[in-house]
Amino acid sequence: MSEPVQATAAGLGAEETAALAARLWEAEQRCAPIPPLTGGPDGLRPADAYPVQLAVVELRRRLGHRVVGKKIGLTSKAMQDMAGVPEPDYGHLFDTMWLDDGDSFHRAELVHPKVEPELAFVLSQDLRGRVRPTHVLAATAFIAPALEIVDSRIADWRIRWADTVADNGSSARFVLGEQVASPLGIDLRAAGVTFSRNGEVIGEASMSEVLGSPLRAVCWLAEKLDEHGIGLHAGDVVLAGTPCRAVDAAPGDEFVAEFPGIGRVSVGVD
């Protein structure tokens, strides 16, 4: 279940907003990156970024793509440093992005993919507006280990905050592990993850790096979505953000994320 969204920016007219959305969607479809939208004096302003993203969402819905959840990006200092941005963002997850645990994604379908480990929340109740971590716990059916494959339709990842927001939070694919757990009784702030590529550990981190706790990240998301007239719904998948730096993906790679006490998840690259 989804609400209609307002896709007109304060500084951009409806036609300009739709034109930028079409450019981003064409870049994704053709795997042909475009220059940064924020370049030059007439570049995209931060206030216009989410309306452009929502215009992309509406375009995809008209093509039959179904929204299945949201992703939170740039929740850790490592990721904010990599992207050169000061705050989190969010994007929409579609059914066409969802891969099964152990599946592979096609490198040729993406521009410059990177992989990162995350915890996913699958909701059993709606969430909207200002909520607390206890509300998130009560509204969560289960948590699952996850891998997100991010990709930028902006050339060479030369993004500012407004670029990645307009580009649907640089989302591309995601994988949920088949092992799931109840969040009750787990200290999610202390939950750890070991991230490996081709059997070699490339990252170890605590979920406290995700805004202090992934529960707080979901709280941030619910409040931010409400600013745009959007809510979270029962059945939605929420990717709460990564505590690790995203890593480039090349054909033949296999990535694994292991969360002790929760489970593991893997994805390959064709």
Side-chain angles (χ1 to χ4, degrees), residues 25 28 56-65 94 96:
W25 179 239
E28 182 170 352
V56 176
V57 170
E58 287 304 304
L59 190 158
R60 295 185 69 145
R61 282 176 172 158
R62 290 196 297 269
L63 294 172
H65 299 188
F94 290 90
T96 53

Side-chain angles (χ1 to χ4, degrees), residues 231-269:
L232 292 168
H233 300 286
D236 277 356
V237 175
V238 177
L239 301 182
T242 182
C244 301
R245 291 181 68 90
V247 177
D248 289 341
D253 282 344
E254 183 180 24
F255 294 89
V256 176
E258 297 183 87
F259 293 80
I262 299 173
R264 73 190 297 276
V265 61
S266 69
V267 71
V269 189

Side-chain angles (χ1 to χ4, degrees), residues 208-232:
S208 64
E209 296 295 322
V210 177
L211 294 186
S213 164
L215 291 170
R216 293 181 183 177
V218 180
C219 292
W220 175 88
L221 176 65
E223 186 168 359
K224 191 69 176 179
L225 287 171
D226 194 47
E227 294 177 10
H228 299 109
I230 304 170
L232 292 168

Side-chain angles (χ1 to χ4, degrees), residues 111-134:
V111 177
H112 189 173
K114 300 174 183 286
V115 181
E116 56 192 34
E118 308 196 21
L119 271 181
F121 290 72
V122 178
L123 301 183
S124 59
Q125 302 175 30
D126 294 356
L127 280 175
R128 185 159 191 165
R130 189 172 180 83
V131 298
R132 297 183 180 278
T134 50

Side-chain angles (χ1 to χ4, degrees), residues 28-41:
E28 182 170 352
Q29 292 295 99
R30 296 177 56 197
C31 293
I34 60 177
L37 302 177
T38 51

